[in-house]
């Protein structure tokens, strides 16, 4: 774990504050910067050397070499739209999956100076200190969610789900980095989480961190979100609150929105 953290911290040095190039990946919402690519290249090279024979599933450049018993799932920058605007809410997310199960997760937000990490069965930490979900009820719960930026065809459904969550819960937050939002839930700063369509690199590391902090994460069917395909992500500080989010989602969305 120490070595992974060292490599991730080093990679963050490539998240320069200015002078990077910004391109869009087919829509104005979906950006990639030269820093996303630099961080991904650095991580694949260094983590590949750390664990010879391991594979990679990474957001950029369609990198999906996953037929290995150890696979790194990497989002080089989660919250790229923030990063491109010098907003501090962005992070590097790295998970290690062994035989299909996430065993290590690191989420590092250099400008917030927060490093979250977890190993399966060993608890979750932020900057070396143990973190735990809050004990707040659904009614008290702060909600992290989004209207599905890259697939706005789901926005109206998300709006309806959000309305129900909002009326039954407390208030809404939106930071613009799924990994950070899940880690903040792990640290007790929010309680309820829903996104209709995320990719494994958005949540692989942060889900382990949230679970190790005592929280619950699942997909539309109540099972663990896929580590290879897009998935809805429902998460909460408690299993009971996650169940209640799932009930709201099922009521507004009686069938799975995509395969
Ligand atoms: C995005 C962020 C955002 C979430 C999107 C993700 P990116 O990741 O996590 O919060 O709402 O669904 O795709 O594109 O900045 O890596
Ligand atoms: Ca992402
Ligand atoms: Ca990204």
């Amino acid at each position: 774990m120490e070595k992974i953290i060292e490599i991730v911290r080093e990679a963050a040095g490539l998240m320069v504050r200015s002078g990077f190039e910004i391109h869009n990946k087919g829509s104005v919402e979906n950006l990639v910067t030269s820093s996303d690519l630099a961080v991904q290249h650095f991580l694949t090279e260094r983590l590949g050397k750390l664990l010879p024979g391991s594979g990679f599933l990474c957001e950029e450049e369609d990198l999906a070499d996953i037929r290995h018993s150890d696979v790194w799932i990497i989002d080089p920058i989660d919250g790229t739209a923030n990063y491109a605007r010098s907003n501090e809410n962005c992070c590097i997310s790295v998970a290690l999956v062994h035989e299909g199960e996430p065993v290590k997760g690191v989420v590092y937000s250099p400008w917030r100076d927060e490093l979250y990490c977890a190993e399966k069965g060993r608890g979750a930490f932020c900057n070396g200190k143990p973190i735990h979900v809050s004990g707040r009820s659904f009614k008290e719960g702060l909600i992290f969610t989004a209207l599905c930026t890259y697939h706005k065809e789901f926005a109206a459904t998300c709006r309806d789900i959000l309305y129900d969550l909002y009326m039954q819960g407390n208030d809404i937050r939106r930071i613009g980095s799924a990994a950070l939002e899940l880690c903040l839930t792990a640290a007790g700063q929010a309680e309820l989480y829903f996104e209709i369509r995320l990719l494994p690199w958005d949540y692989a590391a942060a889900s382990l961190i949230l679970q190790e902090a005592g929280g619950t994460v699942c997909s539309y069917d109540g099972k663990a979100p896929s580590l290879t395909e897009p998935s809805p992500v429902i998460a909460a500080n408690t299993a009971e609150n996650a169940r209640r989010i799932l009930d709201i989602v099922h009521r507004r969305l009686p069938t799975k929105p995509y395969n």
Side-chain angles (χ1 to χ4, degrees):
M1 184 51 119
E2 250 106 80
K3 289 243 170 69
I4 302 171
I5 290 174
E6 207 179 290
I7 291 169
V8 170
R9 281 191 186 276
E10 214 178 309
L14 300 166
M15 289 171 69
V16 288
R17 283 202 179 248
S18 60
F20 51 82
E21 285 171 28
I22 308 175
H23 304 280
N24 80 52
K25 296 194 276 186
S27 72
V28 287
E29 294 89 359
N30 202 351
L31 304 178
V32 58
T33 71
S34 46
S35 309
D36 293 71
L37 299 174
V39 169
Q40 182 167 309
H41 292 160
F42 179 87
L43 288 173
T44 51
E45 199 203 315
R46 294 290 295 275
L47 294 170
K49 279 190 189 145
L50 183 66
L51 200 54
S54 53
F56 289 93
L57 177 64
C58 303
E59 177 172 15
E60 308 304 341
E61 299 175 328
D62 297 322
L63 181 50
D65 171 26
I66 56 174
R67 291 186 191 191
H68 301 264
S69 48
D70 290 300
V71 176
W72 300 98
I73 302 186
I74 298 174
D75 194 338
I77 300 182
D78 187 49
T80 298
N82 288 341
Y83 175 75
R85 292 164 173 82
S86 298
N87 176 316
E88 65 172 6
N89 294 309
C90 50
C91 59
I92 294 174
S93 173
V94 172
L96 178 62
V97 174
H98 178 68
E99 307 286 4
E101 195 191 359
V103 288
K104 293 183 203 295
V106 175
V107 171
Y108 180 39
S109 180
W111 301 341
R112 293 171 61 103
D113 192 23
E114 289 167 11
L115 190 140
Y116 297 90
C117 67
E119 279 182 78
K120 181 85 190 160
R122 295 185 161 198
F125 300 84
C126 177
N127 294 344
K129 296 200 181 104
I131 52 172
H132 207 272
V133 292
S134 86
R136 292 190 181 87
S137 67
F138 201 97
K139 196 170 172 42
E140 294 170 302
L142 289 183
I143 306 151
F144 278 128
T145 195
L147 294 175
C148 204
T149 328
Y150 304 149
H151 286 268
K152 288 188 173 167
E153 67 273 20
F154 295 130
T157 306
C158 294
R159 173 201 61 199
D160 293 345
I161 291 168
L162 172 57
Y163 178 77
D164 290 349
L165 291 172
Y166 180 67
M167 294 309 284
Q168 295 179 39
N170 177 345
D171 201 356
I172 299 156
R173 297 289 182 272
R174 166 73 173 149
I175 279 186
S177 158
L180 261 181
E181 289 166 357
L182 289 164
C183 288
L184 289 170
T185 309
Q189 295 188 23
E191 286 69 35
L192 313 172
Y193 183 94
F194 170 70
E195 277 221 45
I196 201 164
R197 189 181 188 280
L198 289 176
L199 276 300
W201 44 77
D202 297 314
Y203 55 77
S207 296
L208 178 64
I209 292 165
L210 177 53
Q211 282 164 331
E212 286 296 320
T216 295
V217 182
C218 68
S219 179
Y220 183 83
D221 56 6
K223 297 186 182 145
S226 169
L227 290 171
T228 53
E229 306 286 336
S231 173
V233 175
I234 288 118
N237 58 334
T238 65
E240 190 192 334
N241 285 344
R243 183 73 244 171
R244 195 155 154 193
I245 301 172
L246 203 52
D247 288 345
I248 289 171
V249 170
H250 286 168
R251 218 170 305 131
R252 291 289 193 175
L253 194 59
T255 53
K256 203 177 163 213
Y258 52 86
N259 284 312

